[in-house]
Amino acid sequence: MMSGVFAAERLLFTPATPDTDAIRTIFAFPNEYSVGITSLGYQVVWASLAMRSDLEVSRLFTDTHEPLLRSPELVGFSLSWELDYVNILNLLELLEIPNRASARDDNHPLVFGGGPVLTANPEPFADFFDVILLGDGENLLSNFIDAYKEVRTATRQAQLRRLAQVPGIYIPSLYQVEYHAPDGSIQSILPVDAEIPAVIEKQTYRGNTLSASTVVTEKAAWENIYMVEVVRSCPEMCRFCLASYLTLPFRTASLESSLIPAIDRGLAVTNRLGLLGASVTQHPEFETLLDYLSQPKYDDVRLSIASVRTNTVTVQLAQTLAKRDTRSLTIAVESGSERLRQIINKKLTNEEIIQAAINAKAGGLSNLKLYGMVGVPGEEPEDLEATVAMMRSLKKAAPGLRLTFGCSTFVPKAHTPFQWFGVNRDAEKRLKGLEKQLRREGIEFRPESYNWSAIQALISRGDRRLSHLLELTRHYGDSLGSYRRAFKELRGQLPALDSYIHASWSLEQVLPWNHLQGPLPVATLQKHLADATAHFREASACLT
C-alpha cells in the first residue's frame, strides 16, 4: 500500500537516522492521507518523533502507509474529529491489535493517542487506549518517550504505572469509574491505588515559538499550503467555546523570532500561506505582519487566513487579502441579538458587524462568511428574528458583497461554562426557520447538520459506557438512527440517549471528565455560567 504520495512531499525538517535499537513506532492519522497531512498537529508531532534517533517511525493513514514496522512497541493516533474513532478501530484491526486495552498483553504495543478530541473528553474512547496525552505536545511528547525508555523492558503494567506519574499522561485503566446504577449517573472516578495521581492536568506550552508546517505537498487537502500558527487559544472566552477555554491562556508567536523566520522558510518552497489560530487578527503585531507580507517579493503569494475577530476587519486587512488572491473573509458573530451575545460573552455590537462588512467590500473582497449558532442556552425566538434583521442591514450597508451565513447548533463541550447544558430540543426547528427567512432575503444559508450536532453532543459529554455503543454504531453507520438502534440494544447498560444529548446536568453531578483538570477550575467555570444566566429571560432555564 506504499504509494507515490510520500514522494511528492517537501520536508522542512531533517529526519534522524534511527539507532540500531530505536523504538519501533507507528504514528497514525485515522483518515485519508490528504486530510491527515493537512493537520498541523499531526505534521508537527510526526516531525518531532522522526527527528529523534531513538525512534524509528512509520506513518499510517486509512488509504496509504509507509512500510509498516514489524512488532512496533508504540502505536499512536492523532484524533481531530470525533467520528474518526471508526477508523482507529479499523486500523487497530489492520495491525492485529485488540481494540480494547484490557485485551492486550505484553506482546502488544502500547497504543497512545492525543489531539483536541482526546484532550477535551477522552472517556468515550478511553477503553481503546493504553495511554492518552492531554494538552499541548511540545514538552509532553518528549516526556512521554523519555519515561517509556526508562521502563522499556518492564512488564506492560509496570510501564503504565510509571507513565501515569508523568504530568499530562492519562492511563485510563488505572482509574475506576463507579455508577449509581448500570444506567445511572457517575458516582465516582478514582485511581486504583494511592500511588496513581487522583487528577491528571492538561499540559500547557508557554513558549512564544508556535507551530509551523513540517511538510508541504500538492497531495494535501489544501494543495501546497504552508501553515503557520500565529496565536494559540483565544482571549474572548465565549462561554460555549472549546477552542478558547480548553487551550487557555492566549499565547502569541513572537513576530521576530518565530513568525517571520517560519514564513520565510515556508515561502521558499511554496507560494501558498495559511495563517492559523482561533483569533489571528488579535496578535498584537498583526498589522506589522500584514505589512511584512505586503512586500513586493511576496506578490505571488496566496494568503489564507482563519476566522478573524469582527472588529479587527480593517480596509487594510481586506486589501492585503484581496491582493493575495483571497476573495473571502470569515467572521464569527454567533447571533444578531445583543442580549444573546451578552449571554455568551461575545463582546461585539451590530454596528461593528456592519462596519466589518463595509470595510471588507471597500478593501476589494467579494464574499463575507458569517458564522452563527442556534439553540444557545437562553435563546428566545426573537433572538433569531434579530439575526435576520442584522443580515438584512448588512445587505443594505454593503450592496454587492456576497453574504453567506453558516449556522451550527449549540453543542455542549467539556471544560466550558456551558458544559452543563444539553442541546436545545427546538434547535432543528429553529435552524429550518432561520434558513427559510434568510433564503427569502436572498442570503446564502449553510446549516451544519443537526443530526451531526446531536452525535457530537453525545460523544463530547459521553462516559466510558459509550465504548460498547461505539463498537456497535461502527457497523451500523454514522447516522443518528444508528445510534438510537445501538442505545436500544444496550438498554439497561447505560443511560438513555436523551440524558447525554438533551438533558441539562446539575452542578453537583460528577462529570465524566471530573478527574481531568482543564486550564480553569470548576468554580471559575461556574462563575462564568452564573454571569451568563443572569441575562436569561426565564430564571427556570438556569441550572441548579
Side-chain angles (χ1 to χ4, degrees):
M1 259 178 82
M2 174 70 172
S3 74
V5 293
F6 301 110
E9 293 179 339
R10 280 160 293 162
L11 301 188
L12 288 115
F13 73 99
T14 307
T17 302
D19 302 334
T20 48
D21 64 341
I23 299 162
R24 293 179 305 283
T25 305
I26 292 173
F27 187 48
F29 191 92
N31 206 310
E32 294 175 354
Y33 173 85
S34 66
V35 177
I37 210 66
T38 313
S39 159
L40 184 57
Y42 181 80
Q43 283 191 20
V44 169
V45 171
W46 163 59
S48 305
L49 297 173
M51 284 192 285
R52 294 183 63 130
S53 62
D54 53 0
L55 296 180
E56 185 175 1
V57 187
S58 57
R59 288 174 291 161
L60 170 63
F61 303 90
T62 56
D63 57 347
T64 188
H65 56 73
E66 292 175 308
L68 294 177
L69 301 162
R70 286 170 184 270
S71 311
E73 293 177 53
L74 300 174
V75 171
F77 291 91
S78 175
L79 188 59
S80 301
W81 194 53
E82 287 90 343
L83 291 188
D84 277 348
Y85 81 84
V86 172
N87 295 327
I88 291 179
L89 301 183
N90 293 342
L91 291 173
L92 286 172
E93 284 176 9
L94 171 82
L95 297 169
E96 299 180 347
I97 298 167
N99 279 339
R100 291 186 164 267
S102 56
R104 298 176 199 139
D105 58 31
D106 287 1
N107 299 312
H108 293 115
L110 289 184
V111 176
F112 72 94
V117 171
L118 292 173
T119 293
N121 175 22
E123 290 306 280
F125 316 103
D127 290 344
F128 307 137
F129 287 94
D130 299 299
V131 177
I132 292 173
L133 309 182
L134 301 176
D136 295 334
E138 276 85 352
N139 302 322
L140 184 53
L141 202 62
S142 55
N143 293 347
F144 163 54
I145 302 296
D146 293 345
Y148 172 74
K149 283 168 72 177
E150 290 174 25
V151 284
R152 189 178 176 187
T153 57
T155 63
R156 188 180 199 82
Q157 197 54 24
Q159 288 175 345
L160 294 174
R161 291 184 68 86
R162 167 67 188 93
L163 290 168
Q165 305 304 321
V166 179
I169 292 188
Y170 172 39
I171 310 295
S173 61
L174 297 179
Y175 293 81
Q176 187 70 38
V177 185
E178 300 288 346
Y179 305 96
H180 288 289
D183 58 355
S185 56
I186 298 170
Q187 187 176 329
S188 62
I189 307 167
L190 298 168
V192 292
D193 60 50
E195 286 177 16
I196 305 303
V199 173
I200 306 97
E201 200 168 325
K202 173 198 164 292
Q203 295 302 287
T204 302
Y205 166 69
R206 294 179 187 272
N208 63 358
T209 300
L210 298 183
S211 302
S213 283
T214 58
V215 56
V216 169
T217 173
E218 64 193 21
K219 307 290 186 187
W222 297 338
E223 199 177 314
N224 285 321
I225 196 157
Y226 177 79
M227 296 171 284
V228 179
E229 187 183 21
V230 177
V231 299
R232 191 171 293 183
S233 193
C234 173
E236 294 307 305
M237 297 173 75
C238 292
R239 303 309 187 206
F240 60 82
C241 184
L242 189 68
S244 180
Y245 274 88
L246 188 66
T247 57
L248 288 168
F250 181 58
R251 285 146 290 163
T252 59
S254 156
L255 187 70
E256 292 300 325
S257 63
S258 175
L259 285 179
I260 288 176
I263 287 167
D264 287 348
R265 223 170 30 246
L267 294 182
V269 297
T270 183
N271 67 346
R272 189 160 181 204
L273 177 66
L275 301 180
L276 302 194
S279 194
V280 171
T281 50
Q282 280 174 282
H283 190 290
E285 297 172 284
F286 189 75
E287 289 201 356
T288 315
L289 177 60
L290 277 190
D291 289 341
Y292 183 78
L293 292 171
S294 299
Q295 294 176 89
K297 69 172 177 174
Y298 291 139
D299 274 353
D300 70 330
V301 169
R302 290 173 63 200
L303 180 62
S304 303
I305 192 164
S307 174
V308 302
R309 179 155 164 75
T310 305
N311 59 7
T312 60
V313 179
T314 59
V315 175
Q316 185 209 2
L317 171 65
Q319 283 172 337
T320 304
L321 291 172
K323 198 174 146 196
R324 295 282 173 269
D325 208 28
T326 293
R327 296 276 164 253
S328 179
L329 193 60
T330 303
I331 57 175
V333 296
E334 313 317 342
S335 171
S337 159
E338 301 270 0
R339 185 188 69 87
L340 207 61
R341 289 199 298 265
Q342 277 184 311
I343 287 174
I344 62 179
N345 196 40
K346 190 89 183 174
K347 299 176 272 293
L348 194 59
T349 65
N350 280 4
E351 290 70 34
E352 287 172 314
I353 296 168
I354 289 166
Q355 193 57 54
I358 293 167
N359 291 350
K361 190 189 172 200
L365 295 178
S366 52
N367 189 8
L368 183 66
K369 295 177 188 167
L370 298 95
Y371 277 138
M373 197 178 269
V374 298
V376 173
E379 180 184 79
E380 302 289 341
E382 57 264 33
D383 295 315
L384 301 172
E385 287 160 25
T387 297
V388 176
M390 176 197 71
M391 293 304 290
R392 207 180 285 130
S393 305
L394 284 183
K395 204 176 168 192
K396 213 159 137 188
L401 183 68
R402 184 166 161 237
L403 298 174
T404 305
F405 193 78
C407 195
S408 61
T409 298
F410 161 73
V411 172
K413 297 286 186 179
H415 308 290
T416 69
F418 283 178
Q419 64 185 356
W420 291 278
F421 285 109
V423 172
N424 188 312
R425 292 172 198 279
D426 293 328
E428 188 170 22
K429 198 166 71 187
R430 291 179 183 182
L431 210 51
K432 284 179 176 155
L434 198 55
E435 177 166 26
K436 199 171 160 186
Q437 286 183 279
L438 288 177
R439 291 229 160 115
R440 202 181 290 146
E441 299 289 337
I443 290 161
E444 189 183 345
F445 185 78
R446 289 192 191 160
E448 190 174 278
S449 152
Y450 168 79
N451 285 350
W452 156 235
S453 297
I455 294 168
Q456 220 185 337
L458 167 69
I459 293 174
S460 69
R461 297 175 103 199
D463 54 51
R464 288 195 189 180
R465 289 170 289 188
L466 283 196
S467 67
H468 301 286
L469 183 96
L470 298 179
E471 285 174 318
L472 288 177
T473 52
R474 168 189 175 206
H475 300 295
Y476 297 165
D478 58 11
S479 71
L480 190 54
S482 305
Y483 284 82
R484 287 201 177 101
R485 179 183 162 192
F487 264 96
K488 266 187 193 154
E489 276 190 49
L490 296 170
R491 187 175 287 145
Q493 297 173 49
L494 78 174
L497 179 68
D498 204 67
S499 69
Y500 289 108
I501 297 177
H502 296 296
S504 285
W505 294 346
S506 90
L507 299 183
E508 281 69 53
Q509 197 164 326
V510 176
L511 302 175
W513 48 89
N514 252 35
H515 54 313
L516 310 174
Q517 174 62 54
L520 295 178
V522 172
T524 306
L525 297 182
Q526 291 187 355
K527 183 190 177 301
H528 291 181
L529 173 68
D531 292 345
T533 56
H535 297 287
F536 280 20
R537 290 266 159 80
E538 301 284 327
S540 60
C542 303
L543 298 159
T544 51

